């Protein structure tokens, strides 16, 4: 964890006021720009020094064999690893023959500024070379939301006190050297030189490089073009090789003058299209970018973000640091999914190589809730990507001797990439999570076309999977045995509460959707009898309960396991210091599991059950996953432990800004970033979507004086404005539009242009504030930090 705040607290930006090379790996992740298709890590313009050079294209990967000492039937054979593609960020500057490098000469000023409203990363440098030539450098970059294939850069150099000979080398570089792989399993495997040159092309307008991956046989194209503004005469030339291309600009600039270069870079990739087609695609993208110009792209970027923030902003009064963090979180969640367009949303977005660039269930349960209510088209695209992998999921189910579709635990293109089946294949809840995301999107948008064309088939095949996984006992109860729930410190368990409840909801959702679309259901082979079987299994689902302790078992028999001795070690995360075998047979929990069930399936528990369950599991959860804090915040708030909820919300929101997991260098934690929104909106806003209606029961902790947020619901913007004692609801949309919602159990009919205000219900905890395991109390929102 960072001992001091690395950035000033600002409401709409993140600013680096000086260059700290020790913090460079984390800042590269934090200053990543992305649109969901292209991701540019926040590397310095000149390329060096760096921690992890990173330019990523969504779902562009290389294959590598998964090694097994003892392979078995059904083990996945290949891994898919996101790779660094051709780097177009590089702008190498020489001043009077000396290369600009922050490690040499005198660095008078180094300032970087990420503006969350414009989407621009701005850099300002004042540097004197070892030969005493002083220059000021200003650069700006963006990854366009409006033109999906384009990244753009503006680079300005001004001599300070004497004329300077400037050489600017703008480059495309493939197969950059990457840092050595880590033993930490959360860090991606690094592949050396994964790209093979296919074609090079250049003329006076631009340069293009095409490469293929060695094993996955994917083709990638990168191209660049420039607009040059220099005083007096300048000389330019180009050089092209298999793995690099360079445009060189030479000129002499006097004090008071400047060299300004605008660089447009276009990216495209395909597993099907020809080299000619891809070359033409990037050339076309460059033409469009040149037509728009730098100013046009900047204006489009600001307009896109203005529209996003209008319905997505979360205003927090009373805690400026939390305000900054939640907007930073929303910005990066948007960047991860905005233009992904039927491709996966990785657990790290496109901010770094962590987890190999894989997507997990995090997407459906932490990222898509945010996008569903703020950027629903992006949520729809993510679910359409899942649908596009349906055949692979059905093949996987067949391989596992199951029916329906078994979606992968971790993947890039749809095949299972987890070589550790207890945490991978056995985590069947990922399928119920996808079903839940489908239902959530349909409820929030009313998108009948999506349900008919995509959602129904997903729900049907997931329902068939769970019917083949589950079984009825002699008393008629329905069970799912031998699975791994969200808690990865418990594996191959029977009747995991979260999995069973989520599976039951998926079964009912499939049956309901089939009734709404009979023609499509018939094509999918759904019969009346099959739908009745789904409903029967859901009604009979077994939810383990320990009568003696009066709590729900996380899975059957869990509360009878030996207790973990928390005095024996404080080396977290435990998975790096303790054998999994030891974790699997004890009552120690990596991340919220039963508590997660009480969030998403809260209407299946009484308030008293929630209180006892939360108290029990809070004492055994070590939060060795960034997915946990936000969920614990939501339940702590519901149960009246508002100060504890505040601490958990703070921890979720600051996970990356303070590097709490010690691995932000490898990319940001999209689930925790999405979880920051959940902690505030579902926690203190009390938002639930059970039964297809938006429901709220807000409460604010001491220290927060106002929480105001908006969300999209059925083409309306719903705004919830919470103060310490009351909440005001309003909607905007077409004149006369109405929305039925609930406040604390009371139904309200909102009308556009009018407001409804209700008093807040005081939260009185049923039990005292629970303790956490030794050394695992959440980071306090009121802790003193220097800086």
């Amino acid at each position: 964890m960072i001992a001091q705040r690395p950035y000033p607290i600002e409401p709409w930006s993140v600013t680096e006021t000086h260059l700290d090379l020790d913090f460079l790996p984390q800042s590269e992740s934090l200053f990543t720009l992305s649109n969901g298709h292209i991701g540019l890590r926040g590397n310095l313009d000149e390329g060096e020094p760096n921690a992890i050079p990173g330019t990523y294209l969504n779902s562009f990967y290389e294959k590598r064999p998964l090694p097994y000492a003892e392979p078995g039937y059904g083990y996945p054979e290949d891994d898919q690893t996101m790779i660094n593609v051709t780097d177009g960020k590089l702008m190498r500057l020489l001043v009077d023959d000396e290369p600009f490098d922050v490690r040499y000469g005198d660095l008078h000023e180094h300032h970087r500024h990420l503006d969350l409203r414009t989407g621009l990363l701005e850099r300002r440098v004042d540097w004197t070379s070892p030969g005493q030539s002083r220059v000021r450098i200003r650069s700006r970059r963006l990854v366009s939301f409006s033109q999906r294939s384009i990244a753009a850069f503006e680079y300005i150099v001004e001599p300070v006190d004497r004329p300077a000979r400037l050489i600017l080398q703008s480059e495309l570089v493939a197969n950059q050297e990457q840092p050595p792989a880590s033993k930490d399993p959360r860090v991606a495997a690094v592949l050396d030189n994964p790209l093979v040159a296919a074609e090079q092309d250049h003329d006076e307008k631009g340069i293009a490089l095409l490469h293929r991956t060695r094993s996955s046989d994917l083709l990638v194209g990168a191209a660049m073009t420039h607009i040059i503004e220099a005083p007096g005469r300048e000389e330019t030339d180009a050089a092209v090789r298999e793995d690099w291309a360079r445009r060189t600009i030479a000129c002499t600039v006097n004090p008071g003058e400047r060299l300004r270069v605008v660089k447009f870079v276009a990216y495209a990739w395909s597993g099907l299209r020809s080299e000619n087609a891809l070359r033409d695609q990037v050339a076309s993208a460059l033409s469009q970018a040149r037509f728009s110009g730098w100013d046009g792209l900047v204006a489009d970027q600001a307009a896109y973000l203005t529209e996003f923030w209008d319905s997505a902003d979360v205003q927090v009064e009373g805690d400026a640091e939390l305000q900054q963090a939640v907007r930073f979180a929303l910005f990066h969640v948007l960047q991860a999914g905005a233009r992904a367009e039927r491709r996966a949303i990785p657990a790290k977005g496109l901010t770094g190589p962590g987890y190999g660039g894989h997507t997990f269930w995090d997407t459906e349960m932490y990222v898509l809730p945010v996008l569903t209510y703020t950027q629903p088209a992006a949520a729809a695209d993510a679910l359409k990507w899942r649908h596009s992998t349906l055949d692979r999921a059905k093949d996987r189910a067949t391989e596992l001797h199951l029916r329906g579709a078994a979606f992968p635990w971790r993947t890039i293109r749809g095949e299972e990439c987890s070589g550790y089946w207890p945490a991978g294949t056995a985590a069947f809840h990922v399928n119920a999570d996808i079903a839940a995301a489908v239902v959530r999107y349909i409820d929030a948008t009313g998108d009948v076309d999506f349900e008919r064309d995509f959602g129904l088939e997903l729900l049907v095949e997931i329902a068939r999977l769970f019917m083949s996984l589950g079984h009825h006992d002699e008393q008629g109860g329905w069970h799912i045995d031998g699975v791994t729930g969200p808690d990865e410190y418990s594996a191959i368990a029977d009747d995991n509460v979260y999995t069973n409840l989520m599976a039951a909801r998926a079964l009912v959702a499939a049956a309901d959707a089939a009734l709404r679309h009979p023609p499509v259901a018939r094509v999918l082979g759904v019969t009346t009898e099959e739908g009745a079987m789904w409903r029967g299994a859901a009604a009979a689902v077994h939810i383990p309960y320990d009568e003696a302790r009066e709590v729900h078992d996380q899975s059957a028999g869990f509360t009878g396991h030996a207790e973990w001795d928390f005095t024996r070690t404080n080396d977290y995360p435990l998975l790096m210091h303790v054998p999994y075998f030891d974790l699997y047979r004890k009552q120690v929990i990596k991340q919220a599991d039963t508590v997660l069930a009480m969030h998403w399936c809260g209407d299946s528990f009484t308030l008293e059950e929630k209180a006892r369950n939360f108290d029990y599991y809070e004492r055994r959860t070590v939060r060795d996953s960034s997915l946990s804090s936000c969920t614990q915040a939501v339940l702590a708030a519901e149960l009246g432990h508002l100060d504890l909820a505040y601490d958990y919300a703070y921890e979720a929101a600051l996970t990356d800004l303070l590097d709490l997991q010690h691995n932000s260098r490898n990319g940001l934690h999209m689930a925790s970033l999405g979880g920051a929104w959940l902690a505030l909106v579902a926690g203190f806003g009390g938002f639930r979507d059970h039964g297809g209606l938006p429901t709220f029961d807000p409460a604010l902790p001491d220290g927060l004086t106002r929480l105001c947020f908006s969300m999209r619901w059925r083409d309306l913007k719903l705004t919830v404005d919470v103060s310490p004692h009351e909440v005001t609801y309003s909607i905007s949309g077409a004149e006369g539009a109405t929305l039925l919602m609930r406040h604390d159990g009371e139904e309200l009919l909102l009308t556009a242009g009018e407001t409804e205000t209700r008093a807040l219900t005081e939260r009185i905890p049923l039990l005292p504030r629970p303790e956490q395991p030794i050394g695992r109390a959440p980071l306090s929102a009121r802790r003193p930090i220097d800086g």
Side-chain angles (χ1 to χ4, degrees), residues 641-673:
H641 302 299
L642 293 173
D643 286 347
L644 179 60
Y646 192 2
D647 290 346
Y648 277 131
Y650 180 84
E651 183 172 285
L654 273 294
T655 289
D656 286 310
L657 284 172
L658 295 180
D659 196 16
L660 300 181
Q661 295 285 320
H662 310 292
N663 62 357
S664 294
R665 61 172 288 134
N666 299 300
L668 305 182
H669 299 77
M670 289 301 135
S672 192
L673 293 169

Side-chain angles (χ1 to χ4, degrees), residues 336-375:
R339 300 300 303 272
E341 296 181 6
R342 304 199 189 189
R343 290 178 181 158
I345 298 177
K348 296 284 190 180
L350 299 177
T351 66
Y355 299 114
H358 293 161
T359 188
F360 297 76
W361 67 286
D362 310 15
T363 296
E364 279 75 20
M365 298 311 292
Y366 294 88
V367 176
L368 290 197
V370 183
L371 293 176
T372 294
Y373 299 117
T374 62
Q375 197 77 354

Side-chain angles (χ1 to χ4, degrees), residues 149-388:
S149 300
I150 291 296
F153 311 81
E154 181 188 51
Y155 197 88
I156 298 172
V157 187
E158 299 173 299
V160 174
D161 48 20
R162 69 187 195 192
R165 298 190 313 276
L166 303 180
I167 304 292
L168 186 62
Q169 297 171 319
S170 176
E171 299 186 354
L172 296 172
V173 178
N175 288 321
Q176 290 171 301
E177 183 178 355
Q178 295 286 300
S182 167
K183 294 181 180 180
D184 185 335
R186 296 171 294 183
V187 180
V190 178
L191 304 178
D192 291 330
N193 299 318
L195 299 175
V196 178
E199 182 181 326
Q200 307 84 42
D201 185 35
H202 73 95
D203 56 28
E204 68 280 359
K205 288 188 176 181
I207 303 174
L209 298 180
L210 272 65
H211 287 81
R212 285 191 182 276
T213 52
R214 296 179 184 275
S215 297
S216 57
D217 196 31
L218 301 179
L219 182 66
V220 59
M224 64 178 178
T225 188
H226 303 81
I227 297 173
I228 303 166
E229 298 175 4
R233 185 173 67 90
E234 95 265 354
E235 292 289 338
T236 66
D237 61 57
V240 181
R241 300 290 185 271
E242 287 189 343
D243 281 351
W244 64 266
R246 182 172 64 213
R247 176 76 69 184
T248 301
I249 303 150
C251 62
T252 297
V253 181
N254 296 313
E257 299 176 336
R258 68 179 192 170
L259 168 65
R260 176 178 182 261
V261 176
V262 172
K263 177 180 184 178
F264 303 112
V265 181
Y267 289 100
W269 74 266
S270 177
L272 301 173
R273 305 184 71 204
S274 68
E275 293 176 11
N276 288 343
L278 210 64
R279 184 192 63 227
D280 292 346
Q281 182 178 344
V282 292
S284 173
L286 287 183
S287 296
Q288 185 179 11
R290 288 182 67 97
F291 178 78
S292 297
W294 170 260
D295 290 342
L297 288 172
V298 168
D300 288 347
Q301 198 80 343
Y304 187 99
L305 285 165
T306 296
E307 182 178 357
F308 170 72
W309 288 118
D310 178 64
S311 59
D313 188 26
V314 176
Q315 298 175 57
V316 180
E317 294 184 5
D319 189 329
E321 189 175 22
L322 188 57
Q323 175 67 89
Q324 178 188 40
V326 71
R327 284 177 175 152
F328 172 82
L330 280 164
F331 178 76
H332 273 289
V333 169
L334 173 68
Q335 286 200 134
R339 300 300 303 272
E341 296 181 6
R342 304 199 189 189
R343 290 178 181 158
I345 298 177
K348 296 284 190 180
L350 299 177
T351 66
Y355 299 114
H358 293 161
T359 188
F360 297 76
W361 67 286
D362 310 15
T363 296
E364 279 75 20
M365 298 311 292
Y366 294 88
V367 176
L368 290 197
V370 183
L371 293 176
T372 294
Y373 299 117
T374 62
Q375 197 77 354
D381 276 338
L383 293 171
K384 290 173 184 177
W385 167 74
R386 284 290 191 186
H387 184 271
S388 75

Side-chain angles (χ1 to χ4, degrees), residues 699-765:
L700 293 184
D702 290 341
L704 296 188
T705 57
R706 180 173 178 245
L707 173 68
C708 183
F709 58 89
S710 297
M711 60 173 57
R712 295 179 185 271
W713 190 281
R714 301 288 178 111
D715 296 324
L716 300 171
K717 184 176 83 169
L718 167 63
T719 300
V720 181
D721 197 337
V722 188
S723 65
H725 303 294
E726 65 181 22
V727 56
T728 299
Y729 302 101
S730 61
I731 60 170
S732 58
E735 184 177 354
T738 60
L739 172 65
L740 183 64
M741 55 155 288
R742 295 191 186 97
H743 164 81
D744 193 17
E746 173 194 2
E747 285 196 355
L748 298 178
L749 183 65
L750 302 180
T751 302
E754 300 178 2
T755 62
E756 291 283 350
T757 299
R758 293 293 184 273
L760 300 188
T761 303
E762 183 181 2
R763 298 284 175 86
I764 301 176

